[in-house]
Amino acid sequence: MKLSEYAAHDALGLAALVEAKEVSPSELAATAAAAIAAINPAINAVVETYADRIDKLDERGLGNGPFRGVPFLMKDVFGHEAGRKIEFGSRLCRGMVAQQDTHYCELVRAAGVNILGRSAAPEYSMSGTTEGALYGNTCTPWRAGHSAGGSSGGGMAAVVAGIVPIAHGSDIGGSIRIPASYCGGVGLKPSRGRISFGPMLDENGYGLAQNFVLVKTVRDAATMLDCLALPQPGDPFVIPKPAEPYAALIRKKPARLRIGWSTHGIMGMETDEGVAAGVAAVARVLADMGHQVSEESPQFGGLEGMRAMMDLWFFGFDLRLAGYARRTGREIGRDTLEPVTFAIYEHAKAMKPEQFMNAMAAVNATRRKLGAYFTRYDVWLSPTTTRVSEPWGNYNLGRGDVSFDEIAEKVYRGTCQFTLPHNIMGTPAISLPLAMHPSGLPSGIQLGARPAHEHVILQLAVTLEEAMPWAGRVPPLHASRV
């Protein structure tokens, strides 16, 4: 199979070829390996491949779901597959092997994908860019030396560069949607509790995080959501689901919606003019479709709200790292952690319970304030990121010039300003590659809806995919161009 043909398909497109016996899963695995060899040296998105899933694939072991035989990459964070390395992008965890499968891993395998390797992630997924000391930096396929976003930047760069059509992503403050914006892909963060974090965790990040996938088309996102939105034994929350599958619902035209849109910087960093223009253009398209569209920004606690989130994210982080240190036999220190991560570790060690309780109260107050927006609107339209992809070095954990008190402003605000509110609220949000910036880089447009209303933004996303198609865009760093 030619790389150009392989890379032109989405995941369901490749699965259809397998079902029609026009290509075998083994052939797809070999083609994915060729794509890795061709383009990964330029983008550094894949950190490990599994020979037994490429050269010696036992096709009988594949699941029979709608993605049977489709090559897939697992992010190096919370995608545990028993017997495979899980290093969290950290030198402290180098060589660490997962001891059991997550339910997420079991469900994606049942969907039929062939997990043939690991994608890059920053240390402990704690950055909005995929840059790190363990495996180096990942770039967007649109420009060498520019960030792929984070923390799922490895998976999204691999998808957009034509290595695989679908990959694992996780999102605690925007880590699926930021890479989608920087790389020009599709990234959905599902609602809180939609996808199980079991059996090792009840909720990740005290409810702020979600696991899902990175894709090129809305139909792939909807179909995989049907495969993964299956409550597992012992899950602490089971949230409402539509009566019909998401894959069926996206074929229906959305109702007339009340859409609020904004580009105002809710954490004090104003949106780039080219990015803001892209959002305004989408607002006009939605109005022309008949939706009720109004410009209004939700209320947020500014940068102080972000600082409160940090005490929630990082409470107990020292205990987590101590557990990894025991497993690997390494010491926690500046030789095993990056400078910003080490500052966070030191902060976590000194935290008192009242700081955590205060952070929980602040999150609750912020959630109520933000949630009021959805009493007036069905959908919030915004930029995904304030800026398009920037050169490496701005938001990484290797910066030695950032104290803990400066992390919110210097490391997180620049990437998370519009994404974090949806993690706080537990609302579903999707980043779509609907705009191209005057600089020639993609600019993600974000749609968010009420909790458990993934179907609303997926239906709207399909109509935008048809009205403002992106399928024909091929970045300079792409497997088909090598």
Side-chain angles (χ1 to χ4, degrees):
M1 193 177 195
K2 292 181 180 179
L3 283 181
S4 58
E5 180 187 2
Y6 167 81
H9 287 285
D10 66 358
L12 287 173
L14 289 180
L17 295 178
V18 171
E19 186 176 14
K21 302 192 184 308
E22 294 181 32
V23 66
S24 71
S26 295
E27 288 171 316
L28 289 183
T31 308
I36 292 169
I39 199 61
N40 197 59
I43 63 172
N44 192 36
V46 183
V47 299
E48 182 185 12
T49 56
Y50 306 146
D52 60 312
R53 300 270 173 81
I54 299 172
D55 301 325
K56 301 176 182 178
L57 175 63
D58 182 357
E59 296 183 8
R60 296 170 299 179
L62 294 171
N64 290 316
F67 296 96
R68 188 171 188 277
V70 175
F72 184 92
L73 292 170
M74 190 72 84
K75 181 180 175 180
D76 190 29
V77 176
F78 287 121
H80 299 56
E81 183 175 15
R84 305 284 184 186
K85 287 182 187 176
I86 182 77
E87 296 172 312
F88 294 97
S90 178
R91 292 165 294 174
L92 179 67
C93 297
R94 188 195 297 270
M96 195 166 73
V97 175
Q99 297 167 324
Q100 68 181 120
D101 290 343
T102 58
H103 289 321
Y104 176 91
C105 182
E106 294 166 349
L107 291 167
V108 293
R109 281 201 307 253
V113 299
N114 175 21
I115 306 170
L116 48 73
R118 274 188 302 149
S119 62
E123 194 165 51
Y124 304 109
S125 266
M126 296 199 310
S127 174
T129 181
T130 302
E131 303 172 39
L134 181 60
Y135 288 114
N137 300 344
T138 302
C139 74
T140 174
W142 288 92
R143 189 162 298 169
H146 279 57
S147 174
S151 60
S152 306
M156 193 80 260
V159 167
V160 174
I163 289 175
V164 293
I166 187 168
H168 171 213
S170 60
D171 190 314
I172 195 171
S175 290
I176 285 174
R177 292 158 288 153
I178 295 164
S181 182
Y182 281 11
C183 295
V186 175
L188 169 70
K189 180 201 78 72
S191 298
R192 178 177 183 173
R194 177 65 75 201
I195 296 170
S196 177
F197 262 109
M200 287 83 90
L201 299 172
D202 53 3
E203 289 195 293
N204 187 15
Y206 301 99
L208 272 69
Q210 273 293 288
N211 263 334
F212 196 48
V213 291
L214 309 150
V215 292
K216 295 188 287 189
T217 63
V218 178
R219 70 172 190 165
D220 279 353
T223 304
M224 186 55 90
L225 191 58
D226 285 322
C227 296
L228 301 184
L230 303 173
Q232 299 298 299
D235 281 354
F237 303 105
V238 176
I239 64 174
K241 226 172 130 176
E244 296 179 75
Y246 294 106
L249 286 170
I250 62 168
R251 294 194 287 270
K252 296 184 177 182
K253 185 179 178 180
R256 185 173 185 265
L257 299 168
R258 297 170 301 162
I259 299 173
W261 71 280
S262 62
T263 60
H264 172 67
I266 58 176
M267 292 184 195
M269 177 180 278
E270 285 308 315
T271 303
D272 170 87
E273 288 184 7
V275 172
V279 179
V282 174
R284 289 192 294 272
V285 169
L286 291 169
D288 290 343
M289 290 178 178
H291 299 291
Q292 179 185 320
V293 180
S294 305
E295 185 175 4
E296 182 185 345
S297 180
Q299 298 298 307
F300 186 75
L303 204 54
E304 290 305 315
M306 168 69 82
R307 292 192 180 104
M309 297 314 108
M310 290 171 56
D311 275 347
L312 190 65
W313 284 340
F314 304 138
F315 185 71
F317 181 61
D318 56 320
L319 302 178
R320 176 183 168 192
L321 293 193
Y324 294 152
R326 286 192 295 271
R327 287 175 64 179
T328 63
R330 295 189 179 91
E331 292 187 6
I332 299 170
R334 296 185 185 276
D335 292 335
T336 53
L337 296 179
E338 298 187 50
V340 174
T341 311
F342 187 75
I344 292 169
Y345 168 74
E346 292 283 281
H347 175 80
K349 281 200 303 181
M351 279 186 73
K352 294 181 169 50
E354 67 179 280
Q355 290 172 267
F356 175 76
M357 298 306 296
N358 288 339
M360 289 288 282
V363 167
N364 176 61
T366 302
R367 183 183 298 117
R368 306 295 176 178
K369 189 182 297 183
L370 284 167
Y373 194 80
F374 288 111
T375 65
R376 299 186 295 279
Y377 300 105
D378 304 304
V379 172
W380 175 22
L381 166 68
S382 75
T384 305
T385 50
T386 306
R387 308 278 187 271
V388 293
S389 173
E390 299 181 52
W392 291 329
N394 289 341
Y395 306 117
N396 66 74
L397 301 171
R399 291 184 58 173
D401 61 340
V402 179
S403 69
F404 181 84
D405 290 337
E406 296 173 313
I407 291 172
E409 180 179 0
K410 293 186 177 180
V411 177
Y412 292 136
R413 179 174 63 169
T415 57
C416 300
Q417 182 170 223
F418 287 102
T419 55
L420 178 61
H422 292 288
N423 298 85
I424 294 170
M425 290 185 287
T427 46
I430 191 168
S431 178
L432 302 172
L434 295 172
M436 290 297 292
H437 191 266
S439 65
L441 293 168
S443 179
I445 306 297
Q446 182 173 240
L447 304 171
R450 296 186 185 94
H453 278 60
E454 285 91 341
H455 59 288
V456 172
I457 52 173
L458 287 169
Q459 286 177 329
L460 195 58
V462 166
T463 65
L464 288 169
E465 188 176 26
E466 293 169 353
M468 308 174 73
W470 58 79
R473 293 189 205 134
V474 178
L477 303 176
H478 192 265
S480 68
R481 294 186 184 272
V482 178

